[in-house]
Amino acid sequence: MTTPEQPPPKVAWTKRLPALLMVGTAATLAPLAVIKADGLDTAALFVGVPLAIAVLIALAPPAKSLHGLTFRVVTFALLITSAFLHEGAACVLMAAPLVYGVAHFVAELVRQSRIREAGRRYQAALAIFPLLVAGLEGTAYRVDPVQQVGVERVVALSTAEVETRLAQGPDFSAERPFLLRFTGYPTPTAATGGGLAVGTRWTFTLAGDPIVTEVVAHDRRRIAFTVVSDQSKTQRWLRWKGGTIRLTPRPDGTTTVKLSVEFTRRLDPSWYFGPIESAMVGAGLTHFADSLGLQEDPTADD
């Protein structure tokens, strides 16, 4: 007869108390690591982060597979990188799916090479070369680094009224789109300037830093801006080139307004970060249109 398996003995909560205290301490200090006091890196960065990671490593169950080990190592690496990059942590979060995907793809190639016959191991090994070529983008070559994003709306205003609204400048108290709120992507919070005459400059404050633009062209149908200087945090991801506002009067007295901006992407590969940056900038441009009071006219005909 076989004896029934006995349930594992319960561990008294007092024996778990040290581990719980360690986890609680790590969870408290880790978020503080990215907070600066008077512009200085706090001790939470150099003590709290190592403590949090050490606790997680010590208490985590042993990895039972190559993929489990890969996931753990990549996760810890991303945590460390995010803490030290501060404002660039958003970039790390955007890149996380790509990093995990590449790491697990390589882990699977290694696993397959171990279980296959010797003659077929080379086939699995050769699959890594496309990754090597893709990894050279941004160093040996670039693919379409200059991108353009636009937003078009039909507003219940004449072209003259739209120009008056534009000359007053944006009011950034409008609620940001969900994508921007969810990701924490920075957008302008204030604007100073006045008018739309050629040579007029507008300064936009983004995350405490200025972006200075200048009107370089203005007629009845088109207003063009160029970026004179940019000290914003978005330089980690892109460099603004300029923008255009086109006004097209409609027979019913409304106006079609198209806002477009051009920027140079600073993140590669293009097939991954290109769509992401287009989506983020598109959401930011939608918020900018809302801030200018350019609301879509629900009664406008298509």
Side-chain angles (χ1 to χ4, degrees):
M1 294 180 61
T2 58
T3 58
E5 293 185 2
Q6 298 295 325
K10 294 184 178 180
V11 180
W13 72 270
T14 52
K15 293 185 178 180
R16 294 179 177 176
L17 184 58
L20 293 175
L21 289 175
M22 293 175 67
V23 172
T25 302
T28 302
L29 289 178
L32 298 176
V34 296
I35 299 177
K36 292 186 176 184
D38 296 326
L40 301 176
D41 291 313
T42 67
L45 175 63
F46 304 106
V47 178
V49 171
L51 172 62
I53 294 176
V55 169
L56 291 174
I57 293 175
L59 298 181
K64 297 181 179 180
S65 66
L66 181 59
H67 283 286
L69 178 62
T70 300
F71 179 82
R72 180 179 301 179
V73 172
V74 171
T75 300
F76 292 148
L78 289 176
L79 287 173
I80 295 175
T81 304
S82 298
F84 278 89
L85 283 180
H86 296 290
E87 294 86 356
C91 178
V92 176
L93 294 178
M94 285 193 297
L98 176 62
V99 175
Y100 279 115
V102 172
H104 283 284
F105 177 74
V106 174
E108 182 61 20
L109 291 180
V110 173
R111 191 183 72 85
Q112 291 291 333
S113 67
R114 289 176 177 176
I115 63 177
R116 291 186 177 187
E117 298 175 359
R120 296 185 178 181
R121 291 179 181 174
Y122 295 103
Q123 298 177 2
L126 289 175
I128 202 173
F129 281 98
L131 281 181
L132 294 177
V133 175
L136 293 177
E137 185 175 351
T139 54
Y141 65 94
R142 297 210 70 193
V143 178
D144 299 328
V146 179
Q147 298 182 212
Q148 190 175 73
V149 177
V151 170
E152 185 175 298
R153 291 182 176 179
V154 176
V155 298
L157 300 170
S158 66
T159 55
E161 291 173 325
V162 172
E163 286 199 46
T164 300
R165 187 71 58 85
L166 296 176
Q168 294 173 353
D171 175 9
F172 293 114
S173 62
E175 183 179 31
R176 302 197 309 164
F178 171 77
L179 180 61
L180 301 179
R181 300 196 309 270
F182 177 76
T183 59
Y185 198 88
T187 53
T189 55
T192 57
L196 299 173
V198 174
T200 300
R201 291 193 173 188
W202 283 83
T203 300
F204 300 90
T205 303
L206 191 151
D209 297 309
I211 299 177
V212 180
T213 65
E214 181 177 315
V215 180
V216 293
H218 182 196
D219 55 41
R220 287 186 176 183
R221 300 293 182 87
R222 174 176 172 269
I223 306 166
F225 298 82
T226 189
V227 175
V228 177
S229 65
D230 182 2
Q231 301 178 36
S232 69
K233 302 296 188 300
T234 57
Q235 288 189 86
R236 295 179 181 271
W237 314 302
L238 55 86
R239 283 184 177 169
W240 301 104
K241 296 175 66 68
T244 303
I245 303 175
R246 298 183 182 276
L247 310 178
T248 304
R250 294 163 55 94
D252 60 358
T254 60
T255 304
T256 299
V257 183
K258 183 176 182 180
L259 295 83
S260 61
V261 293
E262 190 175 60
F263 61 91
T264 301
R265 189 188 68 255
R266 300 195 66 193
L267 301 176
D268 289 311
S270 56
W271 55 265
Y272 183 82
F273 286 109
I276 290 178
E277 293 201 11
S278 290
M280 293 294 183
V281 173
L285 203 55
T286 297
H287 177 56
F288 188 68
D290 291 340
S291 301
L292 289 169
L294 302 177
Q295 304 298 333
E296 185 78 25
D297 181 8
T299 63
D301 296 329
D302 293 335

